[in-house]
């Protein structure tokens, strides 16, 4: 990563578990880039995602948002098309948008669809699925409540899904955020993930939490500082 990164790493106590506030202060201190870095968490869970009954998946609206501008596409017709535009969607359409995507257009970050259009939108599965852009009822993006869906996404809604190795990755803000705002976001994220705990999960559920900035190293977080849960 370079000399500056190596110098930054030297200031970290690898054995210590930091509070979120302590971690943010240290990441700010050792930052060596001029842009506002994104912050992400990596949470190790006591689940085996290879088993369908231990899949952890859901969404959460972070109270302070992610600091990112999210471009929302809505698949809708008629009154719902107008509702989507009024709610602040960046792109709205039906067959025209489907055709545009089939030709290679993917300049959006999230997609929402009304249930009646999912038969047509389903044709885009191979294009949108691998990129995490496919509307899905489990994440609240297949709905007739277009206003709520768009506003939640714009406000800081984040989808999460456990990956191989039992890890959940999630953005939780920007380095410029107040430390207490980051802590609020992390606590809210963990509360949602705790509620999504599979009944078949055995042993300790929350195992290890790390927070990192775009160009910075990962810092271990004391789980007790962000959740009262002992699971």
């Amino acid at each position: 990563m370079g000399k500056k990164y190596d110098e930054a790493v030297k200031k970290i106590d690898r054995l210590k578990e930091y509070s979120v506030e302590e971690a943010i202060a240290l990441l700010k201190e050792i930052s060596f880039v001029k842009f506002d870095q994104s912050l992400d968490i990596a949470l190790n869970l006591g689940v085996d995602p290879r088993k369908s009954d231990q899949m952890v998946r859901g969404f959460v609206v972070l109270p302070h948002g992610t600091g990112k501008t999210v471009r929302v596409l809505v698949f809708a017709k008629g009154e719902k098309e107008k509702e989507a535009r009024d709610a602040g969607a960046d792109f709205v359409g039906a067959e025209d948008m489907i055709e545009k995507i089939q030709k290679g257009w993917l300049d959006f970050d999230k997609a929402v669809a009304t249930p009646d259009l999912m038969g047509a939108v389903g044709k885009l599965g191979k294009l949108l699925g691998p990129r995490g852009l496919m509307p899905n009822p489990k994440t609240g993006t297949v709905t007739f409540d277009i206003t709520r869906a768009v506003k939640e996404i714009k406000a800081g809604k984040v989808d999460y899904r456990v990956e191989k190795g039992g890890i959940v990755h999630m953005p939780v803000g920007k380095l410029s955020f107040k430390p207490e705002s980051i802590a609020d976001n992390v606590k809210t994220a963990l509360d949602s993930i705790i509620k999504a705990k599979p009944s078949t999960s055995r042993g300790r559920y929350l195992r290890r939490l790390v927070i990192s900035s775009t160009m910075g190293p990962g810092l271990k977080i004391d789980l007790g500082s962000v959740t009262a849960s002992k699971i």
Side-chain angles (χ1 to χ4, degrees):
M1 292 287 287
K3 290 183 179 179
K4 290 183 178 179
Y5 181 86
D6 292 339
E7 288 297 318
V9 169
K10 290 179 182 177
K11 296 183 180 181
I12 294 172
D13 182 349
R14 288 297 184 187
L15 299 178
K16 180 176 179 178
E17 290 188 339
Y18 296 85
S19 69
V20 173
E21 291 85 352
E22 287 174 332
I24 299 307
L26 184 52
L27 286 171
K28 286 184 177 182
E29 178 189 336
I30 64 179
S31 176
F32 54 86
V33 296
K34 294 182 179 179
F35 66 89
D36 190 10
Q37 299 180 68
S38 294
L39 292 169
D40 295 271
I41 57 170
L43 178 64
N44 289 71
L45 299 177
V47 297
D48 183 351
R50 293 173 298 179
K51 298 178 180 178
S52 60
D53 60 355
Q54 292 197 30
M55 174 57 65
V56 177
R57 180 176 187 174
F59 64 86
V60 60
V61 179
L62 300 178
H64 303 283
T66 63
K68 297 178 181 178
T69 300
V70 182
R71 299 165 298 174
V72 181
L73 163 64
V74 176
F75 295 102
K77 285 183 174 181
E79 290 183 6
K80 289 299 174 180
E81 181 176 353
K82 181 180 183 302
E83 181 182 335
R85 295 189 190 283
D86 290 344
D90 300 274
F91 312 102
V92 187
E95 287 82 4
D96 55 332
M97 284 297 173
I98 292 171
E99 184 179 345
K100 194 172 180 180
I101 290 169
Q102 288 173 329
K103 291 179 179 179
W105 179 78
L106 290 166
D107 293 334
F108 58 96
D109 305 298
K110 296 286 181 181
V112 177
T114 52
D116 56 310
L117 286 181
M118 279 307 293
V121 175
K123 300 173 186 176
L124 303 174
K126 290 183 179 179
L127 289 170
L128 302 185
R131 295 173 172 84
L133 296 173
M134 191 69 181
N136 190 307
K138 293 181 179 178
T139 59
T141 50
V142 177
T143 177
F144 281 117
D145 193 349
I146 295 298
T147 297
R148 179 179 176 181
V150 172
K151 293 198 171 189
E152 281 185 344
I153 292 171
K154 290 285 187 178
K157 179 181 174 183
V158 176
D159 300 330
Y160 60 83
R161 180 173 181 162
V162 67
E163 302 169 6
K164 291 180 180 179
I167 300 174
V168 170
H169 288 98
M170 189 188 302
V172 290
K174 295 277 192 176
L175 198 54
S176 61
F177 282 20
K178 292 179 180 179
E180 55 267 31
S181 296
I182 297 297
D184 279 349
N185 278 354
V186 173
K187 288 174 184 176
T188 302
L190 292 191
D191 285 347
S192 177
I193 293 170
I194 289 168
K195 289 177 182 176
K197 179 187 177 184
S199 59
T200 53
S201 172
R202 296 289 178 264
R204 191 176 177 188
Y205 180 54
L206 305 181
R207 296 193 172 181
R208 184 170 181 262
L209 177 64
V210 172
I211 192 165
S212 60
S213 55
T214 307
M215 301 296 291
L219 276 65
K220 286 188 287 186
I221 300 299
D222 174 15
L223 281 163
S225 72
V226 282
T227 175
S229 175
K230 301 297 182 184
I231 65 174

